[in-house]
Amino acid sequence: MTETFDPRTVAARLHSLRQAGRQEATDTFALPADLHQAMEAQNLLTAADGISSNAWKVTVSPQGQAVTAPLHPYAEAVSGAAIPWYPGLKFETEIAVRLGSDLPVRAGVPYSRTEVVEAISAVYLGAELLVSAVRESGSVSFLLFVADRLGNSGYVLGPKLEKSVVDTVGGTPLKVTHAGRTIYDGPAQHPKGDVLTWLVDYANDGLRPETSLKSGALITTGTLSGAIELTEPGEIDILLGDIRLSFSVSKA
């Protein structure tokens, strides 16, 4: 598409599609030319969505560039969480970490995994919900997907886990039921093996904002169950080892 990319126009369109629970094809959008443009649109979408939570997802682009987006709506399951259900909604079991100290942008020697672990004050079981306003999500234009908050459409923070889980979670028995049916029953498995891979990558990204990775920030670290489509509303029950998280997805 030759149309000039205007971050405000794209953010407004993504916002209205999300509000309506609709998706449109990548080729109907003007596309960001680079990560800067994508993040400009994402920031405008974040403002339009009224997001104020200090909760974030991290991943990497197909080119290996670490990227982030805010989690919204954000809920803590102790208060009986309900996240809106839309057609195409997907679910991921994840581990989230809260920072107890800042990880400032650093020039020179990169952060080691050990330093990142030292900055973590708490670890939790969590669940991410995903549905993008872009029909193909990030498969055609990853930068447009970045603008669309990396497809995030909700996050439920569950119970606190032992901090050592960031080292040991791989292979832990994980069972998930939705609306009374088992949708995952197998070992917890992160795409990179190590749940902290993308967070360490982001910590070492010299292009990230100075305000990022401050004490108190919550960061979710990537799926342990793959992305599973939820074909209807209903209760979700996650059992990771002997730790349980339950919440519902319901029609908006």
Side-chain angles (χ1 to χ4, degrees):
M1 178 170 282
T2 53
E3 189 184 332
T4 308
F5 180 80
D6 174 22
R8 289 186 186 283
T9 303
V10 170
R13 187 163 163 218
L14 291 169
H15 177 69
S16 63
L17 287 170
R18 280 174 167 269
Q19 295 292 99
R22 290 178 48 229
Q23 297 178 305
E24 289 187 6
T26 302
D27 64 11
T28 66
F29 290 86
L31 302 180
D34 53 31
L35 185 60
H36 174 76
Q37 285 190 346
M39 289 303 298
E40 207 177 345
Q42 187 197 103
N43 291 337
L44 290 163
L45 175 61
T46 296
D49 287 340
I51 300 172
S52 57
S53 67
N54 190 14
W56 306 87
K57 66 180 289 185
V58 292
T59 187
V60 292
S61 74
Q63 291 74 37
Q65 170 67 47
V67 289
T68 185
L71 299 171
H72 177 79
Y74 170 78
E76 301 196 355
V78 287
S79 57
I83 296 287
W85 177 87
Y86 296 102
L89 187 73
K90 291 181 179 175
F91 154 90
E92 296 180 349
T93 303
E94 303 200 351
I95 295 293
V97 301
R98 193 176 300 283
L99 296 182
S101 55
D102 296 353
L103 288 169
V105 176
R106 181 195 270 184
V109 182
Y111 285 103
S112 66
R113 185 185 189 280
T114 302
E115 287 175 297
V116 171
V117 171
E118 284 169 358
I120 293 169
S121 61
V123 177
Y124 303 85
L125 178 60
E128 184 181 5
L129 290 310
L130 297 135
V131 63
S132 178
V134 183
R135 187 167 298 135
E136 302 86 355
S137 297
S139 63
V140 176
S141 170
F142 188 80
L143 290 173
L144 183 62
F145 189 54
V146 170
D148 191 34
R149 295 201 290 104
L150 295 169
N152 175 261
S153 59
Y155 197 82
V156 179
L157 189 72
K160 200 180 267 196
L161 304 170
E162 293 292 330
K163 186 173 169 180
S164 59
V165 159
V166 296
D167 300 320
T168 62
V169 71
T172 303
L174 173 61
K175 185 172 183 179
V176 184
T177 59
H178 169 242
R181 293 192 308 273
T182 299
I183 58 171
Y184 186 89
D185 190 358
Q189 207 166 341
H190 189 273
K192 291 294 180 187
D194 177 6
V195 295
L196 295 183
T197 297
W198 293 330
L199 176 53
V200 174
D201 287 348
Y202 188 61
N204 288 318
D205 175 21
L207 302 176
R208 66 181 168 94
E210 295 287 343
T211 53
S212 60
L213 299 185
K214 296 287 190 186
S215 177
L218 184 91
I219 299 105
T220 195
T221 58
T223 185
L224 301 174
S225 59
I228 303 163
E229 187 164 346
L230 305 178
T231 54
E232 60 181 327
E235 291 288 321
I236 296 231
D237 185 70
I238 304 167
L239 189 63
L240 177 68
D242 57 0
I243 306 293
R244 175 168 262 119
L245 167 57
S246 301
F247 63 97
S248 64
V249 287
S250 50
K251 279 206 164 160

